[in-house]
Amino acid sequence: MKKMQGRSQEQILAVENELGAHNYAPLDVILSRGAGVWVWDIDGRKYMDCLSAYSAINQGHCHPRIHAALVAQSQRLALTSRAFHNDQLAGFYEDVCALTGAHKVLPMNSGAEAVESALKVVRKWGYEVKGIPADQAEIIVCENNFHGRTITIVGFSTDPNARDHFGPFTPGFKTVPFGNTHALEQAITPNTAGFLVEPIQGEAGVIIPPNGYLKQVREICNRNQIVLILDEIQTGLGRTGKLLAEEHEHIVADMTLIGKALSGGMYPVSAVLSSRETLGVLQPGQHGSTFGGNPVACAVARMALKVLIEEGMIENAERMGKRFMAGLETVHNPLIREIRGRGLMMAVEFHPEAGNVKTVCNALKQRGILVKETHEFILRFAPPLIITESEVDWALDRIIPVLSSHG
Ligand SMILES: *Cc1c(COP(=O)(O)O)cnc(C)c1O
């Protein structure tokens, strides 16, 4: 086995380029260590992580208590499959339900799996509870959604790059504009089983719907007996300054999908939460996952939730988000179209004349800030929720001049 140690960045990138599938275009930085909001590259340069692994690292890199839970559980029992019970799963269910008010939980691993699981369950609910004729169930989704990368999910993406040449796709999906309740009502038929939506569209560029949208969506779903599925895989677990983004509009979804920060980035853990008995339609043999609900996942997730609450990360996200946003709003550059955010989920959108903002990412990297563009003209800022006032100020001291001088 050849060692990576001692190789230069160029040599490592050449290996990745030759041997890896080219399904990502990462910044040219190779990270080898992380702690809290900070990461270090192989040459020892230190950066603030303002992406947080797409919000999987809400609790900060290598959180010591989550790490301890991972080590302790992996020394005792790592995997049983669901053919047998394990002594961690019930506690995970209890903690998740106590925290979110959910009545039932389905444990999975990746976010995409949670989405797929919800789609299956909603269809089954549509046939068995709502009485939709066999194979006629429809699920409504939004334009510019991001729900993952499986064939079914990319089949209802509106991003050509995500879906082109991956067909034929799963039928049964209808697309409406995000933030538009009139279009949603128009799309509903007696066969509509569910509406799947992100409370704030993350990958689309932190797109915040009009005030009252989710509340109206909730009413429309109630009126038409439609299961409201909120994909909170990115917005959930404190990112927007609330445990779940649905709380901003005082609603409760019928199904809520969480993932990413459910493990604090330590392990792939996702879950489908249902507040009604939607998940009750599943019977033995109808769905599953070898690793879903495994003891390590449960122990890690329980600790990841515990530290989120006990260490005040959600309130901190709210406070630091305000501070960060106030700083971003001092930037004056005519090439900037909009600066928006909620909690520590923020974005700066440039006009197309600004060119691809990858150049801004590289300029920020030079100054010790790691971010990634989304859709060419949008920069997202989403540091770990443990960020302190002085760390926010440190970041702004570097970000403001770069954004102001771009163009
Ligand atoms: C990241 C993400 C997913 C997919 O999660 P994976 O773990 O990458 O499969 C789904 N929905 C939203 C809103 C996401 O941000």
Side-chain angles (χ1 to χ4, degrees), residues 54 110-113 115 146-148 198 203 231 233-234 260:
Y54 301 96
S110 70
E113 281 179 311
V115 174
F146 182 85
H147 298 291
E198 300 157 81
E203 295 314 297
D231 181 345
I233 292 166
Q234 191 163 148
K260 292 196 168 122

